[in-house]
Amino acid sequence: MSLIDLLTGNTSNQVAEQAENKFGISRNQVIALLAVAAPLIISYLRNKSQDSQEAEALNNALDKDHDGSILDDASQVESRQAEGGSILDHIFGGQKNTVENQLSQNTGISIDKIGPILAMLAPVIMGYIGKEKQQNNVGAGGLGDLLGGILGNASNQAQAQQSNPLNDILGSVLGGGQQQSSGNPLNDILGSVLGGSGQQQQGGGLGNILGSILGGK
């Protein structure tokens, strides 16, 4: 299953419905947030996996807690929200507040809700990675390539199918992140696409794309 399949499939819709009911925001906003958060989290994990100890820790976590069952049972997301918060703390570390502020500004989701919603999404993203790991029979040493392949395939698919606003988001996020990599996923994805000069380069960036999704709701 590609990353775009995850974003457009039943799992994301079910998770978005739960977030809508719990936090009072639109499903489209949640799915748009997932479209940016998923490649961001995967990029951070890819960078971390270059360190052999981090790769081993990620491999063990995926084997133990993220077998992909959450993709078939989205009712797990609320009960695993605290776990999701811990995942985000580890992945983003000291940059977590910066990430949340940028995502809040660019999705229109208030800062008091962005963290809890991301915590609902994190186990879904980890479950997706875990399922891909199982299907490709990858160990700790191959995680970097697996994560890079997920991003590369999603980028190619998004660029080829830009009639869908979600594909536009992924195409912008992944295109911006991969073409001029600074080695820092936060700068590559949030910096180049969501803010600053990157918005000019992308013709308005995420703001315009989100407008096209949310404007007709």
Side-chain angles (χ1 to χ4, degrees):
M1 179 171 64
S2 75
L3 192 57
I4 290 177
D5 292 334
L6 174 69
L7 295 174
T8 57
N10 288 333
T11 301
S12 64
N13 282 316
Q14 290 169 7
V15 172
E17 182 178 4
Q18 290 184 55
E20 178 182 51
N21 292 337
K22 185 169 185 176
F23 299 104
I25 63 172
S26 77
R27 294 184 203 186
N28 282 336
Q29 281 180 298
V30 180
I31 294 174
L33 175 62
L34 181 59
V36 180
L40 186 63
I41 286 172
I42 292 169
S43 294
Y44 267 77
L45 290 174
R46 180 179 57 173
N47 275 16
K48 283 180 174 293
S49 68
Q50 304 309 309
D51 178 278
S52 59
Q53 288 186 324
E54 287 280 3
E56 194 62 47
L58 175 60
N59 189 63
N60 291 338
L62 291 170
D63 283 343
K64 180 183 176 187
D65 299 319
H66 305 289
D67 60 1
S69 63
I70 195 170
L71 303 180
D72 301 314
D73 179 16
S75 65
Q76 295 181 35
V77 293
E78 283 203 61
S79 63
R80 298 181 68 174
Q81 192 171 339
E83 174 194 346
S86 298
I87 291 169
L88 296 171
D89 286 339
H90 178 73
I91 292 173
F92 295 135
Q95 292 185 317
K96 185 180 177 187
N97 287 342
T98 304
V99 170
E100 290 180 354
N101 281 325
Q102 284 274 10
L103 290 174
S104 174
Q105 290 173 22
N106 287 279
T107 59
I109 299 173
S110 63
I111 192 63
D112 62 313
K113 295 179 180 177
I114 200 88
I117 295 171
L118 283 173
M120 288 179 72
L121 300 180
V124 176
I125 297 166
M126 292 294 286
Y128 168 73
I129 296 170
K131 190 169 186 177
E132 290 296 300
K133 171 180 142 52
Q134 286 181 355
Q135 290 180 344
N136 290 277
N137 196 26
V138 169
L143 285 175
D145 289 340
L146 175 71
L147 296 170
I150 289 172
L151 295 174
N153 290 338
S155 177
N156 292 338
Q157 190 176 349
Q159 299 287 356
Q161 303 174 357
Q162 284 199 328
S163 60
N164 183 315
L166 280 176
N167 289 343
D168 290 343
I169 291 178
L170 267 178
S172 295
V173 168
L174 293 167
Q178 292 189 336
Q179 288 165 8
Q180 297 178 330
S181 175
S182 68
N184 182 330
L186 182 66
N187 291 342
D188 292 344
I189 292 178
L190 292 182
S192 68
V193 179
L194 302 186
S197 60
Q199 283 197 317
Q200 300 296 323
Q201 296 165 4
Q202 298 288 348
L206 182 62
N208 280 1
I209 298 168
L210 285 177
S212 69
I213 295 178
L214 303 177
K217 66 184 174 71

